[in-house]
Amino acid sequence: GYYTQLCRPISLGAPDDDFKRLYDIHLAMYEVGRKELRPGAFYDDIEKKINEVAIKLGKDRLDAKSLWTLQSCEVGDAGTYRMRGEMKPGMCFVIHPYTVDAKIRDGSPDYVSGHIIGDSFIVTDSGNECLSRLPHEITVI
């Protein structure tokens, strides 16, 4: 009853500074999610901590209403992307930061959005287990 996701950034040619900056923000969001995803933690508390890091690193240029990171892996929940409540062993989540309307360039009308890093996790009795062993790096094609 579960599916998994694997999200890694791919750049056609050398990534520009804006791409790398958003990657760094998403990686920081991911790390907070990885640290906080454990039994007894609450979904909304984890998301709040992640969003605080994103806003701090994005220097208030990310729309706080459009940030999210945790997505339930339950097939029945796939349409809503959310499972709120207390984390319990056996629950499966994808930690993949998503930002919408992340205006990264000063004075530019361009917007950068989308998730570029993520893995599936299972909540365990003592914390969580990542289902991927692939490194976090930008692949340049």
Side-chain angles (χ1 to χ4, degrees):
Y2 294 105
Y3 69 91
T4 63
Q5 291 189 32
L6 175 67
C7 307
R8 294 295 188 268
I10 298 173
S11 177
L12 301 176
D16 63 18
D17 289 341
D18 295 326
F19 184 94
K20 290 187 279 189
R21 179 171 177 216
L22 187 59
Y23 172 79
D24 289 342
I25 291 169
H26 285 179
L27 187 58
M29 293 168 72
Y30 172 96
E31 290 301 329
V32 172
R34 183 178 191 142
K35 177 184 168 197
E36 298 294 329
L37 185 65
R38 62 185 185 281
F42 284 85
Y43 180 98
D44 287 336
D45 294 338
I46 297 170
E47 283 282 316
K48 181 180 177 186
K49 289 177 182 180
I50 293 167
N51 291 349
E52 287 171 355
V53 167
I55 293 298
K56 179 181 176 185
L57 294 176
K59 298 185 183 357
D60 297 327
R61 302 205 51 195
L62 303 179
D63 182 356
K65 295 178 283 189
S66 67
L67 300 173
W68 61 269
T69 302
L70 297 178
Q71 176 180 349
S72 171
C73 288
E74 295 179 26
V75 173
D77 190 42
T80 61
Y81 303 107
R82 305 269 183 175
M83 197 299 295
R84 299 202 185 281
E86 183 178 355
M87 301 293 121
K88 297 178 182 171
M91 289 181 163
C92 182
F93 287 87
V94 178
I95 297 177
H96 77 80
Y98 189 86
T99 55
V100 177
D101 296 333
K103 187 174 182 182
I104 301 298
R105 295 175 212 140
D106 288 331
S108 171
D110 296 337
Y111 288 85
V112 180
S113 65
H115 63 82
I116 56 175
I117 189 167
D119 294 300
S120 294
F121 287 81
I122 296 174
V123 178
T124 65
D125 290 331
S126 60
N128 63 63
E129 178 184 353
C130 181
L131 300 181
S132 170
R133 303 293 181 254
L134 294 176
H136 293 153
E137 55 190 30
I138 298 171
T139 299
V140 178
I141 298 175

